[in-house]
Amino acid sequence: MNYNKKSISLMVLLALGTSPFLQSSAQEKQQKTEMKEQNEPDAILLQEWKGPYGGVPAFDKVELDKLQPAMEKAMELHLLEIDQIANNKEAPTFENTIVAMEKAGKPLDRVFTYYGIWSSNVSSPEFREIQTVLAPKISEYSSKISQNKPLYERIKTIYNRSQQNPLEDDQQRVVQLIYENFAMEGAGLDPEAKKRYAEINMELSRLYTKFSSNVLADEEGYVVYLGKDQLDGLPESFVKASAKAANDRGEEGKYAITNTRSSMDPFLTYSDERELREKVWRNYYSRGDNKDEFDNNKIISEILKLRDERVALMGYENYAQWRLQNRMAKNPENAMELMEAVWPAALARVDQEVKDMQELANTEGKDITIKPWDYRYYAEKVRKEKYDLDSDEVKQYLQLGNLTQALFFTAGELFNYKFEPVPAGSVPVFHEDVKVWEVTDKTTGANIGLWYLDPYARQGKRSGAWATTYRSHTTFEGKENVLGSNNSNFVKPAPGEPALISWDDATTFFHEFGHALHFFSSKVKYPTLNGGVRDYTEFQSQLLERWLSTDEVINRFLLHHETGEPIPAELVDKIKKASTFNQGFSTTEFLASALMDMKYHTTDPELINPETFEKETLDKLNMPDEIVMRHRSPHFSHVFSGEGYATGYYGYLWADVLTSDAAEAFEEAPGGFYDNEVAARLVKFLFAPRNSMDPAEAYRQFRGRDATIDALMRDRGFPVPDKM
């Protein structure tokens, strides 16, 4: 999951109320409006970053109680800059309007960096109180920009003029993106509609914050503690990590199964205790759905009604129609067409997977019917039987440290980057787990930026994995280096033990690093162009997953944590033969979430009761009883804790179509996945441009044609349809 921010974007700022922060790409420069006192309580959060590597965030000096006044001051300063731009007496030009907007808001960008860290990585009850107060203030601030009529008229004038007399390509793209963004956010509405629009945004920001806080509360509040007699089937490394997790929570002598995917998933895969599997499963999938103070169902209903009302003000039939107009899919019908092309094949595969599991359970003499809390457990048994592949055996070769080096190797081969750890203490970090590397060009030694890694799960850190930037590349005020970050939730090993992760987790690790490489490889001039198109921005990261299973990575970095021996060729062969195993489960649990996302936003919200709509809709789709959607509605944070992925969750599948098709370009090349010519096109057309050119055109430049669904279906072992 990738996040990037430009502060003028209304929807992005709404998402900031609860989602991980989205950091600006603008170069630091001295503000026209200087701080009156450098020793003011909130000054450190606003100040230009100092120190090595072009300046770095002062994570070691900031204090939470200074966050709210700093955010309020930064918004005030930015609004002053915006007013100066909007009320400029000179005729609007690209320089005095668009460039001026690109330069504005530096202190706010810095504050949002710290805000995002507290939101995503080190949250606390105290922060959540501040977040609740700030969310409507941020919404109000952003509405003052998007509804600034003189500003919009200047932008519109520049846009209309550029349609007759085009600017340089990158300037034309910036103008187009900014104009479309303002138009989509209701800048052209009449005063009464604008007022209601702003009211809706403010209320949505409150709801997003509450939704996210409720999910985090349930993740922190539901922990299953085991005794020594309840560990049957669990790998030793997981047992040790669970003991540490319990000890960290003051439960010495016990074993904690936390309510996060990184803990739930391996427990459901290996535990022989069926009743405990059900308990852990129910805890995880009922987050936000426990009919208590943290229940999110009512919030979902309110969010859907407000979103629908807001887009109706601009004449759209539904939220999905409004949201998808500037995505690759263009409209909900195209997105649904793709999902419906894959859905039947996924269901057919699930049916076979369940039959295989049920047969195995019967053979073992178990008088059970496969349930959702059995799926991972028996899938693992079937994997061993069919492919003689033991996931825990594979895990012994997947050390986090070695995999990190595998990331660096891949970046070096494809992007010519070198990663070196920075001297201890030279760069401030927000937690002792965070490590930092300098990224340089291997040939010239030029600094590209810094890479921060926060790998382990802990209390106060949101679940999942994501990438973000503290500072993005631009050149319009001089070259700006990149401060990029990857964040994971691996189970922290016991002291002295290696961090061993699953193949799926290793794949996700490569995926998120793909986002980081997308940040580092940027060649854009203007900050706005560092943004992305949601159903395209996951493509680059999904493509990078493919390098995990290349021979070069396998032979160099997949080494046994005890013996140091490379993973045996026969085990690698088993992994590759089993590559399409369990695709029914993984595809169906994802697509169910994506389909629900689209159904929520194309159905009249007055007809939706969130407590029943999910089940009723999935029943109509013939969702198998043995599988639950990957993100059930009450904890579907992608969609309901902000708007970044709302009606956009399908984008992972859209990006997968591009990924599979692009991967075949490497497979067909003489040098395979390390072919120099294809790698050069990859960087030039798919990574470096960011959003400076239309994604569909960028892909055609790389591939020589549009992508088709065929490669995706082959990858998953599904029948290739006659036509999409």
Side-chain angles (χ1 to χ4, degrees):
M1 185 182 298
N2 160 38
Y3 294 93
N4 189 279
K5 163 189 151 311
K6 181 59 189 166
S7 57
I8 61 171
S9 170
L10 173 61
M11 288 300 100
V12 163
L13 283 164
L14 284 174
L16 283 166
T18 55
S19 296
F21 65 103
L22 314 178
Q23 175 57 24
S24 165
S25 56
Q27 177 187 6
E28 305 298 341
K29 91 187 230 313
Q30 185 64 33
Q31 295 302 303
K32 294 178 182 178
T33 307
E34 297 183 355
M35 302 301 117
K36 293 180 180 178
E37 297 285 347
Q38 287 303 305
N39 60 355
E40 287 181 7
D42 53 7
I44 191 65
L45 289 147
L46 298 160
Q47 286 173 1
E48 183 174 341
W49 295 337
K50 304 184 187 308
Y53 308 107
V56 293
F59 292 127
D60 57 336
K61 296 179 180 178
V62 295
E63 298 176 33
L64 181 57
D65 61 355
K66 309 301 189 300
L67 177 61
Q68 184 177 332
M71 182 70 79
E72 291 170 347
K73 178 178 284 187
M75 289 189 290
E76 179 185 349
L77 290 170
H78 191 211
L79 288 174
L80 286 173
E81 292 178 303
I82 290 296
D83 283 343
Q84 289 176 353
I85 298 167
N87 298 316
N88 189 338
K89 300 302 182 183
E90 297 179 4
T93 66
F94 182 83
E95 287 295 326
N96 70 20
T97 303
I98 303 301
V99 170
M101 290 174 66
E102 295 288 273
K103 291 179 178 181
K106 304 298 197 304
L108 183 60
D109 293 337
R110 291 190 280 271
V111 176
F112 267 129
T113 294
Y114 300 119
Y115 182 91
I117 292 295
W118 270 306
S119 175
S120 304
N121 300 71
V122 289
S123 183
S124 65
E126 293 78 14
F127 169 75
R128 284 167 226 162
E129 290 180 10
I130 295 171
Q131 188 179 38
T132 300
V133 173
L134 282 176
K137 292 177 181 287
I138 293 171
S139 176
E140 181 182 17
Y141 143 81
S142 96
S143 291
K144 287 180 178 178
I145 298 176
S146 67
Q147 297 189 3
N148 188 314
K149 184 173 177 58
L151 179 65
Y152 175 61
E153 290 301 324
R154 294 181 72 88
I155 295 168
K156 184 178 180 181
T157 297
I158 296 166
Y159 173 78
N160 288 337
R161 192 163 59 224
S162 74
Q163 299 304 295
Q164 301 299 320
N165 299 292
L167 302 164
E168 294 181 15
D169 288 348
D170 58 348
Q171 295 178 349
Q172 189 80 11
R173 182 72 170 170
V174 172
V175 171
Q176 174 192 340
L177 293 174
I178 291 178
Y179 170 74
E180 289 178 352
N181 180 71
F182 270 75
M184 281 186 66
E185 307 307 342
L189 293 174
D190 63 61
E192 185 177 347
K194 279 186 176 181
K195 181 175 181 293
R196 180 56 188 152
Y197 195 103
E199 291 171 349
I200 291 172
N201 282 342
M202 191 174 297
E203 179 60 15
L204 282 171
S205 70
R206 182 189 68 81
L207 293 170
Y208 297 155
T209 300
K210 181 61 176 170
F211 186 97
S212 181
S213 295
N214 286 348
V215 174
L216 188 55
D218 277 357
E219 288 176 351
E220 294 178 346
Y222 287 81
V223 179
V224 176
Y225 292 101
L226 311 179
K228 288 187 177 180
D229 60 340
Q230 297 176 305
L231 305 175
D232 290 350
L234 297 176
E236 182 181 0
S237 59
F238 182 78
V239 169
K240 290 179 178 178
S242 299
K244 182 182 185 304
N247 190 60
D248 290 346
R249 289 163 174 75
E251 297 288 345
E252 192 171 353
K254 296 182 180 180
Y255 305 83
I257 309 303
T258 60
N259 206 20
T260 62
R261 181 173 288 273
S262 62
S263 187
M264 172 277 296
D265 200 282
F267 184 82
L268 295 187
T269 301
Y270 297 111
S271 175
D272 294 332
E273 305 285 344
R274 191 171 190 243
E275 290 186 4
L276 284 175
R277 290 204 307 270
E278 181 179 356
K279 183 176 182 179
V280 169
W281 182 90
R282 290 192 182 280
N283 280 351
Y284 184 79
Y285 286 103
S286 66
R287 290 170 298 152
D289 193 24
N290 290 303
K291 303 187 187 313
D292 57 12
E293 62 179 312
F294 303 120
D295 194 281
N296 273 332
N297 285 289
K298 183 180 178 182
I299 292 175
I300 291 173
S301 182
E302 293 179 58
I303 288 173
L304 292 172
K305 290 175 182 177
L306 287 170
R307 285 177 175 172
D308 195 65
E309 181 186 355
R310 193 182 66 199
V311 300
L313 292 172
M314 295 178 286
Y316 293 94
E317 293 180 10
N318 55 57
Y319 181 86
Q321 186 185 75
W322 169 79
R323 170 54 74 194
L324 297 185
Q325 60 186 297
N326 63 353
R327 304 286 171 87
M328 290 189 77
K330 301 302 182 187
N331 56 59
E333 292 76 21
N334 288 341
M336 286 295 295
E337 182 182 3
L338 170 61
M339 291 189 282
E340 289 171 350
V342 179
W343 183 248
L347 294 185
R349 179 61 61 83
V350 168
D351 184 62
Q352 185 58 54
E353 289 173 2
V354 172
K355 286 179 180 177
D356 290 343
M357 291 187 285
Q358 189 65 59
E359 182 179 330
L360 182 58
N362 295 342
T363 301
E364 293 180 342
K366 299 289 178 62
D367 185 20
I368 65 167
T369 299
I370 298 297
K371 298 289 185 183
W373 46 89
D374 298 317
Y375 210 108
R376 291 171 176 81
Y377 180 74
Y378 279 100
E380 180 62 19
K381 286 177 173 285
V382 172
R383 188 200 313 269
K384 290 180 182 178
E385 183 180 80
K386 275 195 168 186
Y387 301 99
D388 192 25
L389 181 61
D390 182 340
S391 292
D392 191 54
E393 181 185 1
V394 176
K395 196 173 182 179
Q396 307 309 305
Y397 296 90
L398 297 174
Q399 301 176 69
L400 182 58
N402 283 355
L403 287 167
T404 304
Q405 294 302 314
L407 299 181
F408 299 161
F409 168 78
T410 303
E413 293 298 300
L414 299 180
F415 294 82
N416 202 41
Y417 291 160
K418 180 180 180 181
F419 286 71
E420 289 286 342
V422 303
S426 64
V427 173
V429 294
F430 52 82
H431 191 276
E432 62 182 7
D433 288 344
V434 179
K435 306 300 178 188
V436 188
W437 285 259
E438 181 184 11
V439 187
T440 58
D441 183 283
K442 282 169 47 176
T443 302
T444 67
N447 173 270
I448 306 294
L450 295 180
W451 183 66
Y452 295 69
L453 174 63
D454 183 16
Y456 300 121
R458 58 176 172 270
Q459 286 182 287
K461 186 178 182 182
R462 75 176 185 87
S463 61
W466 66 97
T468 191
T469 48
Y470 308 150
R471 182 171 64 224
S472 296
H473 167 88
T474 62
T475 59
F476 87 121
E477 291 185 289
K479 185 178 179 182
E480 191 73 57
N481 67 349
V482 179
L483 304 181
S485 170
N486 280 137
N487 309 268
S488 302
N489 268 280
F490 303 129
V491 176
K492 192 171 185 177
E497 297 291 328
L500 303 177
I501 64 177
S502 69
W503 185 267
D504 285 346
D505 280 344
T507 300
T508 300
F509 198 36
F510 267 72
H511 173 105
E512 296 303 334
F513 189 64
H515 284 308
L517 290 177
H518 204 182
F519 304 148
F520 288 123
S521 62
S522 171
K523 298 298 182 186
V524 304
K525 181 176 182 179
Y526 299 100
T528 289
L529 300 181
N530 270 307
V533 178
R534 182 60 66 190
D535 50 7
Y536 180 69
T537 194
E538 293 296 333
F539 157 52
Q540 290 83 355
S541 52
Q542 289 180 191
L543 182 59
L544 202 80
E545 296 173 13
R546 302 304 178 102
W547 274 264
L548 171 62
S549 57
T550 61
D551 291 341
E552 289 83 349
V553 167
I554 286 172
N555 295 330
R556 289 169 180 254
F557 303 104
L558 271 59
L559 310 177
H560 196 280
H561 71 97
E562 291 179 339
T563 67
E565 292 295 317
I567 188 170
E570 56 269 23
L571 185 53
V572 173
D573 188 51
K574 292 176 185 177
I575 292 171
K576 292 183 176 180
K577 285 181 178 178
S579 62
T580 60
F581 177 75
N582 220 31
Q583 278 295 331
F585 173 83
S586 60
T587 304
T588 301
E589 69 155 5
F590 159 76
L591 266 181
S593 291
L595 286 163
M596 280 303 307
D597 174 28
M598 201 62 67
K599 295 288 187 180
Y600 270 124
H601 293 100
T602 52
T603 302
D604 183 349
E606 295 295 339
L607 303 177
I608 294 176
N609 176 355
E611 294 188 7
T612 59
F613 185 73
E614 178 184 300
K615 184 178 187 309
E616 292 168 354
T617 303
L618 292 177
D619 284 347
K620 291 177 183 177
L621 292 168
N622 297 315
M623 178 74 170
D625 293 335
E626 300 85 1
I627 294 181
V628 67
M629 54 194 282
R630 181 175 297 174
H631 305 287
R632 287 200 55 241
S633 306
H635 52 257
F636 203 169
S637 293
H638 288 75
V639 172
F640 295 117
S641 71
E643 302 199 27
Y645 281 85
T647 70
Y649 199 67
Y650 78 92
Y652 286 96
L653 182 65
W654 193 279
D656 247 348
V657 170
L658 300 175
T659 297
S660 296
D661 193 73
E664 289 194 349
F666 278 98
E667 290 166 357
E668 296 162 1
F673 277 87
Y674 297 89
D675 187 86
N676 291 333
E677 182 181 340
V678 181
R681 293 206 313 270
L682 174 85
V683 176
K684 180 178 180 180
F685 296 116
L686 303 184
F687 278 76
R690 297 292 288 168
N691 200 15
S692 63
M693 62 189 302
D694 179 77
E697 177 58 27
Y699 190 81
R700 282 191 289 270
Q701 291 285 339
F702 166 76
R703 194 69 165 106
R705 58 168 174 75
D706 290 326
T708 70
I709 195 176
D710 298 7
L712 171 76
M713 302 300 276
R714 284 191 288 269
D715 272 346
R716 301 191 179 203
F718 297 164
V720 176
D722 292 335
K723 63 178 180 178
M724 183 174 162

